[in-house]
Amino acid sequence: MQAMPPKSALCGHAKSFLDFCRVEKGLSANSISSYLIDLQRFSNGTSPLAAERATAEDLGQYIESLYSAGLSARSIARHMTTLRNFYSFLEREGEIKANPTEFLIPPKQWSNLPKYLNRQEIDQLLAAPDVNKPTGLRDRAMLELLYATGLRVTELCRLELSNVEKDSGVLRVTGKGNKQRLVPFGESAGDSVGQYLAQGRAALLKGRASRFLFVTARGGALTRQGFWKLLVGYGKNAGIFRDLTPHVVRHSFATHLVEGGADLRSVQIMLGHADISTTQVYTHVARRRLREIVDQHHPRA
């Protein structure tokens, strides 16, 4: 779990807002940490009272300072989301009469197509771990399951043994906001997980108990940072030297589903996106597939 920065520089209402996000909204530690960092930056150089009573003009000047600092459109949009949620909380609690973020205009964000691996690269990546070692069995099972389900890396690393319904080929996953979803996985991933459970996991635990599916030689859950490092190494072994992250494998899962004809609503559910607009980045794949269908089958293409 990511360590949270100290709250000492924050006003009391900001602390209450973060507690509200954690307890009532059930946001993840990573989301809370992002909100905290944004609020600390906003409060830097101003008194807590000034931060709470900021006007729309004050906020506009602050956003301009973010542009001047060279932040990306995506980062600035995140800061705006933090401020909107914070001031909405203050308005609901009766601490302010009007929300000063009402007229903030978010920056234009160009939709960058997600990076993904082709199917040959995926095959090479999945074959990279040495399955003659317990750690290799674990790593191959993690890679297979990541590609088979499109889980977030935190969801993968925190997956518990009891959440794997191997006979029915389904995972019970707890995602952002503590929302649970069922994600199916295929035979290949199921076989790799089964082999890891039969020959690898017990060898790593050495008689110790753990509720987590993927464990280290010390008996704890493999961390997201640890898996990220392993993934980069396996990518290099497979000849994949460009920026390889767990999210790239997640994007590969979604892209290959859409290429195969899956509808965006189904992909949204499996990825755990709260809003279909987040999933719509994959429409570039659907458009390309439609173009290919027209070229192949239309008499005047």
Side-chain angles (χ1 to χ4, degrees):
M1 182 178 295
Q2 183 175 340
M4 293 178 61
K7 297 184 186 178
S8 56
L10 292 180
C11 63
H13 289 308
K15 295 176 184 177
S16 298
F17 166 67
L18 294 176
D19 289 338
F20 165 77
C21 291
R22 182 185 304 105
V23 177
E24 296 194 33
K25 295 189 71 175
L27 297 186
S28 68
N30 291 331
S31 297
I32 300 294
S33 181
S34 294
Y35 279 1
L36 176 54
I37 291 170
D38 292 346
L39 289 174
Q40 285 182 325
R41 179 166 186 153
F42 176 59
S43 300
N44 188 32
T46 65
S47 67
L49 187 61
E52 289 184 10
R53 295 186 177 178
T55 64
E57 183 179 358
D58 294 331
L59 295 182
Q61 291 175 353
Y62 171 67
I63 297 302
E64 284 297 324
S65 74
L66 298 181
Y67 280 107
S68 300
L71 269 68
S72 68
R74 186 180 297 273
S75 295
I76 293 172
R78 192 198 72 193
H79 276 269
M80 287 188 180
T81 298
T82 299
L83 292 175
R84 281 199 181 95
N85 290 336
F86 173 55
Y87 283 105
S88 293
F89 170 78
L90 292 182
E91 185 179 26
R92 194 182 67 179
E93 294 294 307
E95 300 295 336
I96 58 175
K97 294 182 179 180
N99 189 335
T101 67
E102 183 178 359
F103 299 106
L104 285 180
I105 300 175
K108 177 67 176 179
Q109 295 189 65
W110 302 103
S111 295
N112 295 322
L113 298 183
K115 297 178 182 177
Y116 63 94
L117 304 178
N118 60 41
R119 300 188 184 193
Q120 181 180 356
E121 289 172 325
I122 286 290
D123 289 341
Q124 292 170 341
L125 180 64
L126 297 181
D130 182 0
V131 294
N132 293 312
K133 300 178 181 179
T135 52
L137 289 170
R138 177 200 64 196
D139 297 346
R140 189 181 68 174
M142 293 188 78
L143 292 173
E144 286 269 12
L145 207 56
L146 180 62
Y147 175 61
T149 61
L151 297 184
R152 299 178 179 93
V153 62
T154 301
E155 295 170 346
L156 179 70
C157 291
R158 305 299 294 180
L159 195 63
E160 297 187 9
L161 190 60
S162 60
N163 295 143
V164 182
E165 299 179 9
K166 192 171 179 300
D167 292 339
S168 55
V170 172
L171 301 179
R172 286 183 286 110
V173 181
T174 302
K176 289 185 176 181
N178 284 330
K179 294 180 180 178
Q180 291 195 344
R181 67 186 191 277
L182 295 177
V183 183
F185 59 89
E187 184 177 346
S188 179
D191 290 343
S192 292
V193 170
Q195 190 175 1
Y196 160 66
L197 291 175
Q199 303 175 29
R201 188 171 182 273
L204 290 171
L205 287 175
K206 296 182 175 66
R208 291 168 293 201
S210 175
R211 72 179 191 273
F212 296 107
L213 175 60
F214 298 114
V215 296
T216 67
R218 295 183 177 181
L222 186 66
T223 65
R224 47 184 281 184
Q225 294 87 352
F227 178 70
W228 194 310
K229 185 176 180 180
L230 287 171
L231 177 63
V232 171
Y234 286 130
K236 290 180 179 179
N237 291 342
I240 304 169
F241 294 98
R242 64 179 183 271
D243 297 333
L244 181 59
T245 68
H247 227 62
V248 170
V249 182
R250 176 171 158 90
H251 286 318
S252 303
F253 158 81
T255 298
H256 295 168
L257 271 180
V258 176
E259 280 183 338
D263 63 279
L264 289 180
R265 174 59 179 162
S266 298
V267 176
Q268 176 196 358
I269 293 172
M270 285 183 280
L271 290 176
H273 287 162
D275 195 320
I276 189 66
S277 63
T278 309
T279 319
Q280 285 174 341
V281 69
Y282 297 105
T283 55
H284 74 285
V285 180
R287 287 196 296 269
R288 184 180 67 197
R289 185 169 179 272
L290 288 174
R291 178 75 261 174
E292 291 173 352
I293 290 173
V294 170
D295 289 342
Q296 291 175 13
H297 302 290
H298 195 280
R300 290 188 177 273

